[in-house]
Amino acid sequence: MKRSKIWIGISLLVLTLITLVLNAFMSAPDNGSKVALTSTDHLKDVLAAKEELLYKRHQDELKAALNDYFDKAISAGDIVGAGVSIVKGDSIVISDGFGKRNINRDQRVDGGTIFRLGSLSKGFAGVLAAELKDEGKLHWDDRVSDFIPEFRFGDINNTNKITLANILSHTAGTPYHSYTNLVEAGLPLQAIAERFKEITPISEPGSMYSYQNAMFALCGEMIQKATGQDISEVLTNTFFNPLGMCSTTMDYETLAHMENVAMPHSKRRNGWRTLPLSNNYYNAIAAGGISASSVDMAKWMRFLLGNNPELMSKSALAETFSPFIEIKGESKYYQHWPGHKTSYYGYGWRIHKFMEKDSDQEKTIWHHGGSVNNYRNEIAIYPEADLGICVLLSNNSRIAKTVIPDLYAIVKDIFGQTTPYHQLKTGNDLVQLHLE
């Protein structure tokens, strides 16, 4: 009994001392600061409010920097209009427009203005194929000829080697841009598939990168056979509807009757000429038939950064960006981006490795460009920075070659490297962020 009373007394004394020390610490001024750190939870609330204010300030700075960047491009005669999306973490920082939808009219480009995406469509097809693989409906080593019996390329032995992975990675062995002319002429994919027997392979399947539209688009036929639905239906049901990508279209008639569309333009001696919307590539949706706004592209990039695990597992998503073949040489514009080391192609995406001046760690970009009907577009995901950038242009422009690293530098300069509070786990981390 005495022993119990002694232990109770000691415990009360220890608790009293701890309380006094904590009160003294929490009430002590820190370099003139009048904020009392009453608890970790309270500190988190304070830092959350602080981060929200900081985020708003960064967002305003970014908007001003982008206005300056694109106003200069418009004044220099480099572009007519642009739709721009920037996503950081799970936040859509920017989804806005710059310039005019039509050079001859006053309507401005905004976040809802639609552009044709061109080959940015390939990224959607690659991600969809990875999801269908995860569901067990397709596999990377599925043979094209098993889904499209009329397909022949080279002899029967060569034909049987060509897989879904090969057509999604441009490694089927076809000469550069084989039958792109037939796609643009509007021939059905099944008719184009039969024509590959007239082409001589230039390499073994899987051994050489050679960029394609017609061969790549055959994945749409494989998806239809695997699911019983057209690729446009599968994309809509799997991604576009769940993500709220309400203005994304995959057919000419719908786009032609929409009001908020950036018209394509071509350069002429004294300015710009507005072009009509063309009716090509809707027979090859996977290769270049999707149209979308910067708002919808922001939602798509947020998904690609892994913020919708209920739609697609991160492991399945990661397969899309697995390097399949190296893109050799130094002639491509992206091979001249700052710090570029190597480039690869995965499934509908290019994967670049680069080094920054302030880091000795190799970093990654998931990237693609797109061009159709005089639209020119770029999308890039920086996984280590948890960042996505997409720029949609209504004309071919020299800035397309550098707009991704240009905007990356702007974002990095404004947002810096500060770790968001919700990624911090210890009290010391929280105090350190408070002192920054």
Side-chain angles (χ1 to χ4, degrees), residues 18 64 104 129 134 196 198 251 298 326 419 433 435:
I18 289 173
N104 300 313
D134 196 47
F196 278 103
E198 302 169 15
D251 68 283
E326 184 177 356
T419 306
L433 180 58
L435 296 175

Side-chain angles (χ1 to χ4, degrees), residues 336-380:
H336 298 278
W337 286 355
H340 177 271
K341 304 293 287 184
T342 53
S343 290
Y344 305 87
Y345 207 94
Y347 301 121
W349 289 86
R350 295 187 181 97
I351 301 104
H352 309 306
K353 300 294 181 179
F354 74 108
M355 299 280 287
E356 294 186 284
K357 290 182 180 179
D358 58 357
S359 173
D360 58 359
Q361 183 180 4
E362 189 175 72
K363 296 182 180 179
T364 304
I365 309 173
W366 305 331
H367 161 253
H368 219 285
S371 180
V372 66
N373 198 175
N374 267 59
Y375 293 89
R376 182 67 178 85
N377 313 302
E378 291 283 314
I379 187 172

Side-chain angles (χ1 to χ4, degrees), residues 29 77 132 154 166 205 212 218 226 305 310 325 397 399:
L132 294 176
N166 295 141
Q212 306 294 315
L218 296 183
L305 286 169
E310 74 281 2
I325 188 80
S397 173
I399 76 163

Side-chain angles (χ1 to χ4, degrees), residues 143-146 152-153 155-163:
R143 298 189 303 185
V144 177
S145 57
D146 287 343
R152 291 289 183 275
F153 182 49
D155 60 23
I156 190 67
N157 183 51
N158 189 77
T159 298
N160 288 337
K161 290 180 182 178
I162 299 170
T163 65

Side-chain angles (χ1 to χ4, degrees), residues 213-235:
N213 282 313
M215 183 68 81
F216 186 99
L218 296 183
C219 72
E221 294 295 295
M222 297 180 71
I223 288 169
Q224 184 173 27
K225 293 287 178 66
T227 64
Q229 295 179 306
D230 184 81
I231 185 173
S232 62
E233 294 179 75
V234 186
L235 281 168

Side-chain angles (χ1 to χ4, degrees), residues 58-66 86 93-94 410-411 414-415:
H58 286 161
Q59 187 180 44
D60 290 342
E61 290 175 357
L62 182 58
K63 286 180 180 178
L66 294 179
I86 295 178
V93 185
I94 295 286
I410 291 171
V411 172
I414 291 172
F415 279 83

